[in-house]
Amino acid sequence: MKFLLTLSVCIICCVASNAQTRSFTIPRAATVDTGEAQDEWNAILQESDEEVADEHQNPDQLNILKQDLLESLHSEFNKASTLRDAVDTPYLWKGLQAQGYNGSVPNDNDIAVSAGYLISVMNTNLFSYDLTADTSLGIITLQALSTPLNNTHSKYDPKAIYDPDQNKFIVVFLSGFSSSASDIIVAFSQTENPGGTWNLYSLPGNPLGDSLWSDYPSVALTNKELFITVNHLADNESWQTGWRRSVIWQVNKFDGFTGDSLHAQLHYDINYNSDGIRNLCPVKGGSHLYGADMYFMSQRNLDISNDTFFLVHITDTMNAALQELTVKPVVSDVCYFVPINAKQPSVNDLATNDSRVLGAFYENDRIQFVGNTTDTLTATASFYHGVMKDVATWPAIQLHTISDDTICYGYPNIAYAGTGSSDHHAIIGMLRSSEDLFPGYSAIVTDGEGSYSAEKNIKDGLSYHSAINGVQRWGDYTGAQRDYLLPGVIWVNGSYGLTNHKMSTWVSQLAIMPPPAGVPVVNNNIPQFSLYPNPSVQNLNIQFQAHDYAVCNFEIYDMGGKMIKLLMNEKISPGNNHFSFSTNPLPAGEYVLRISSYSKLIAAQKFIRQ
């Protein structure tokens, strides 16, 4: 049974913030040709508990809050719920395998898509795909992408964004876990092709020289500028006590695309009533890029429950004479909650971190946004979807909690799927799991007016997730972007569990309408398989599910349809299966692996032999 919790609101007036600013000029540090950059070592350093040293590394205090919430459930927090199924489920147009598990935790997925190319990022690499040729351009590590910088520190937390005005890409990621090592690396593509040359810049992760380092970036674009938000954390302190501020970098994007010195403005000491505002989520444009103003969403993400969201507004371009940063609290009479951890078919739960805003877009004088929360009626990890109307004048929020009585949700993201000024449709992608359901990825449609579709399974998990000790990190964020050429269509990426209990990344194209004639509908009844690493140098691993016993051929074909090799003819069993082989006998090039039974195709997927 699906539920909605509807939250009504009141608001408080806008106030000017005492935020400070500082200007920077950052010279281009280097260029890199991704077709030539190599990282033969792929060095990944994990902490003793095998996860990156980010702000969620030691969640003891957060877990206490989650436990306190669990102990208070079924009491004063319970609210009436209503059914959902009022909107058609999203249509699945296309799906493709992106990155497999590469030894890093968590996945941290994000996506950027042009008319001809796609970028999918995760810790700690970037996957590119040529949509026109329907072929992979390969995977490059963040270390290889930044090789010309001679930066030997850990690379992590990648974000990707596409600029539809300039028809180019931007990738932002972090380096280093201390004030002496922290950098924000920003890469601007010189062309639409992500397999070409990029301009590289290194913003200081400790720009004010006060023993703080940058963590957890978020990005958005206007028609003139790039905005990057990060948290500043103190050296050698836990994230609960080590947070000092969240800051905003406002950057002239044309400098980055042309390779000139990067002009930037830093906004810091952003607060309300002397309390710092944490985790600023920049609000992206819905149908297109807006400007010159930029909005940001935040709230009190470390409270068991709270009733306040913050709308932060920067007026005008950087260093403009009348530029102003204001903060407007929007208060509801029903709270959002710290998200309790998600369940999976294993002894260890899945981490949901906190209730920060994870994704937001602006369209039709509205901001729609999403984040993690708890359904206090069903006691399940869930997510909220907020609609802020009348943003420019007197904003008010209607907030809904999307939940299920057994399924747990986490890490939603949202993209605009409307087709006009009166259309507020959006598609929300999210991770999902339960005690009887392996971690996978799903999506729903909202009309932006309080109605929602049933859940659409995008990618089912093949097994439970187990990569570190204790509570598992299945991803800190997921990706969602509008298809700028096809109204009503978006692209998403997220994580799903592999048979080896690690997480892999899957990319999908979703829409609010069926695919046009000539575009085949994805048949979810055909077993999909995970093929990695792709491109392959020596060995290829294939994980797939079978519904029945079958005698199968495992065959390699060239791109002209000629069979190169029958690798094996063997009986497979229902459930999860794993197959691997060496690619050493193959010349470099593109191939197709086919799994068939008595001439009936079960599954097929391209791979690259480097």
Side-chain angles (χ1 to χ4, degrees):
M1 188 71 70
K2 308 295 192 292
F3 299 100
L4 286 177
L5 297 181
T6 302
L7 312 185
S8 58
V9 301
C10 61
I11 60 175
I12 297 177
C13 295
C14 171
V15 298
S17 171
N18 63 347
Q20 306 296 307
T21 67
R22 184 173 296 186
S23 296
F24 291 80
T25 300
I26 310 294
R28 185 179 69 176
T31 61
V32 60
D33 186 339
T34 57
E36 299 177 355
Q38 299 291 328
D39 176 22
E40 297 179 354
W41 302 102
N42 190 27
I44 299 174
L45 174 65
Q46 303 285 10
E47 298 300 309
S48 58
D49 58 357
E50 301 180 3
E51 60 174 310
V52 295
D54 63 4
E55 64 177 289
H56 296 293
Q57 179 190 15
N58 299 307
D60 293 343
Q61 183 173 334
L62 184 58
N63 287 336
I64 292 173
L65 298 178
K66 294 172 188 273
Q67 185 60 40
D68 289 344
L69 177 62
L70 281 172
E71 292 175 356
S72 64
L73 294 182
H74 309 295
S75 58
E76 72 273 15
F77 292 135
N78 288 347
K79 301 296 176 184
S81 58
T82 57
L83 296 175
R84 65 173 167 92
D85 282 331
V87 181
D88 290 341
T89 56
Y91 291 88
L92 182 55
W93 282 23
K94 182 182 182 68
L96 59 95
Q97 175 67 44
Q99 297 99 318
Y101 178 71
N102 69 336
S104 182
V105 175
N107 252 28
D108 290 356
N109 292 130
D110 200 14
I111 194 167
V113 187
S114 70
Y117 297 93
L118 177 150
I119 287 177
S120 171
V121 294
M122 63 171 280
N123 270 339
T124 52
N125 57 44
L126 181 153
F127 166 83
S128 300
Y129 199 84
D130 187 326
L131 294 170
T132 303
D134 195 22
T135 185
S136 170
L137 297 177
I139 295 175
I140 182 172
T141 66
L142 301 181
Q143 181 61 47
L145 182 62
S146 57
T147 295
L149 300 178
N150 295 317
N151 183 321
T152 57
H153 301 296
S154 295
K155 311 299 188 300
Y156 61 100
D157 276 6
K159 289 292 181 75
I161 195 165
Y162 169 66
D163 187 328
D165 293 352
Q166 302 303 309
N167 194 25
K168 296 176 182 178
F169 293 94
I170 301 173
V171 173
V172 176
F173 54 98
L174 304 181
S175 174
F177 297 110
S178 68
S179 59
S180 61
S182 181
D183 288 294
I184 304 169
I185 298 174
V186 187
F188 295 82
S189 70
Q190 293 187 359
T191 68
E192 181 199 11
N193 186 349
T197 303
W198 295 66
N199 298 321
L200 296 177
Y201 299 84
S202 186
L203 302 179
N206 180 20
L208 303 178
D210 49 5
S211 300
L212 303 180
W213 57 282
S214 292
D215 191 50
Y216 197 84
S218 293
V219 298
L221 288 165
T222 63
N223 52 14
K224 294 183 179 180
E225 294 173 321
L226 165 69
F227 289 82
I228 305 170
T229 64
V230 291
N231 293 330
H232 280 179
L233 308 180
D235 286 334
N236 304 317
E237 291 191 41
S238 69
W239 65 273
Q240 294 96 333
T241 61
W243 179 87
R244 294 294 184 267
R245 66 172 78 93
S246 294
V247 304
I248 301 169
W249 285 95
Q250 186 173 3
V251 178
N252 184 320
K253 68 180 183 181
F254 302 113
D255 293 340
F257 287 132
T258 59
D260 296 330
S261 291
L262 206 62
H263 292 85
Q265 182 181 12
L266 179 72
H267 303 265
Y268 59 99
D269 290 348
I270 303 166
N271 56 56
Y272 179 74
N273 285 345
S274 301
D275 291 329
I277 295 178
R278 187 169 184 157
N279 305 309
L280 292 158
C281 178
V283 179
K284 298 178 179 179
S287 62
H288 61 281
L289 302 184
Y290 290 93
D293 294 10
M294 173 58 74
Y295 293 102
F296 305 82
M297 291 291 299
S298 185
Q299 35 78 285
R300 299 303 189 195
N301 63 298
L302 293 182
D303 291 349
I304 293 180
S305 62
N306 204 299
D307 59 3
T308 303
F309 287 89
F310 296 99
L311 178 65
V312 177
H313 181 200
I314 293 180
T315 65
D316 218 331
T317 54
M318 70 172 69
N319 298 314
L322 299 179
Q323 186 191 62
E324 187 178 23
L325 189 151
T326 62
V327 177
K328 184 176 294 186
V330 183
V331 181
S332 83
D333 61 0
V334 179
C335 299
Y336 51 85
F337 303 93
V338 62
I340 61 175
N341 289 329
K343 301 296 182 182
Q344 65 167 335
S346 173
V347 295
N348 294 319
D349 290 347
L350 301 168
T352 53
N353 295 343
D354 54 47
S355 61
R356 70 187 62 184
V357 177
L358 294 169
F361 71 83
Y362 174 88
E363 189 72 19
N364 305 328
D365 198 28
R366 298 183 177 195
I367 294 174
Q368 297 193 46
F369 58 96
V370 292
N372 293 331
T373 188
T374 294
D375 184 334
T376 58
L377 182 65
T378 61
T380 55
S382 57
F383 67 93
Y384 58 76
H385 169 231
V387 179
M388 177 185 291
K389 300 180 181 180
D390 302 320
V391 173
T393 54
W394 197 246
I397 292 176
Q398 185 178 25
L399 197 70
H400 302 279
T401 298
I402 314 299
S403 67
D404 187 278
D405 49 10
T406 59
I407 298 176
C408 301
Y409 298 124
Y411 305 108
N413 206 341
I414 187 170
Y416 179 61
T419 57
S421 60
S422 61
D423 189 347
H424 307 296
H425 277 81
I427 298 178
I428 303 170
M430 65 282 190
L431 304 184
R432 50 111 174 106
S433 184
S434 76
E435 292 180 343
D436 301 314
L437 185 67
F438 294 135
Y441 195 61
S442 297
I444 64 171
V445 174
T446 175
D447 65 357
E449 301 286 2
S451 296
Y452 299 82
S453 74
E455 178 182 338
K456 175 75 171 183
N457 287 351
I458 296 175
K459 185 63 177 176
D460 292 329
L462 304 179
S463 186
Y464 62 87
H465 178 44
S466 181
I468 60 175
N469 298 323
V471 176
Q472 299 299 303
R473 298 283 295 277
W474 57 334
D476 282 0
Y477 43 85
T478 58
Q481 185 209 289
R482 178 181 177 85
D483 190 317
Y484 291 104
L485 292 183
L486 297 172
V489 181
I490 78 163
W491 291 83
V492 296
N493 70 343
S495 304
Y496 71 98
L498 300 172
T499 56
N500 64 358
H501 313 308
K502 313 305 181 185
M503 299 299 283
S504 185
T505 298
W506 189 260
V507 170
S508 293
Q509 185 183 29
L510 306 174
I512 61 174
M513 64 284 194
V519 178
V521 178
V522 175
N523 183 354
N524 287 331
N525 294 323
I526 297 177
Q528 301 289 326
F529 61 84
S530 171
L531 184 151
Y532 64 95
N534 190 11
S536 170
V537 177
Q538 292 183 328
N539 293 286
L540 204 61
N541 296 275
I542 299 93
Q543 298 178 4
F544 63 97
Q545 279 190 317
H547 299 302
D548 301 296
Y549 289 101
V551 176
C552 289
N553 287 343
F554 296 81
E555 303 162 329
I556 298 175
Y557 286 78
D558 65 19
M559 298 307 293
K562 178 183 177 181
M563 188 174 75
I564 301 298
K565 178 68 175 177
L566 171 62
L567 296 168
M568 184 178 291
N569 174 260
E570 188 57 83
K571 182 179 181 180
I572 64 174
S573 301
N576 297 323
N577 291 265
H578 178 268
F579 175 72
S580 64
F581 67 95
S582 171
T583 59
N584 284 332
L586 294 172
E590 295 184 353
Y591 301 90
V592 175
L593 177 69
R594 289 168 48 100
I595 304 176
S596 61
S597 179
Y598 300 106
S599 300
K600 180 180 179 181
L601 179 65
I602 294 179
Q605 188 167 318
K606 295 179 185 178
F607 69 93
I608 298 174
R609 166 70 166 98
Q610 287 187 335

